[in-house]
Amino acid sequence: MTHTYKTENTCATQIQFDKDENGVVTNIVFTNGCNGNLKAVAKLVDGMKAEDIAAKLAGNTCGRRPTSCADQLAKAVMSV
């Protein structure tokens, strides 16, 4: 099933992804943000379970911000 998550405090404004009944996340697409870096993040975690993505990426910050696009991805995949 396809999900859309509206991000907070990041350059990316939303994240779209598919998550199946087993918790596997695929087809991750960030809107806005650092295009090359976010494509790389999406490729690196494609096919992983949501729990594993969250374990790796949750808590990542960007500069002075309390979050990052990677942290927002962790929150997104765990929100559904």
Side-chain angles (χ1 to χ4, degrees), residues 8-79:
E8 296 180 10
N9 297 315
T10 60
C11 298
T13 54
Q14 75 176 21
I15 307 168
Q16 187 172 15
F17 60 95
D18 294 336
K19 183 175 175 184
D20 71 13
E21 64 277 353
N22 298 314
V24 175
V25 177
T26 56
N27 303 317
I28 303 161
V29 177
F30 289 84
T31 301
N32 300 317
C34 303
N35 188 36
N37 289 335
L38 295 177
K39 283 183 192 174
V41 168
K43 284 182 180 182
L44 289 170
V45 299
D46 189 70
M48 290 176 63
K49 288 190 165 239
E51 293 82 10
D52 296 332
I53 293 171
K56 288 188 180 293
L57 301 180
N60 247 351
T61 59
C62 184
R64 295 181 186 169
R65 297 175 188 194
T67 189
S68 67
C69 293
D71 182 56
Q72 290 291 296
L73 176 60
K75 290 176 181 179
V77 299
M78 295 305 294
S79 71

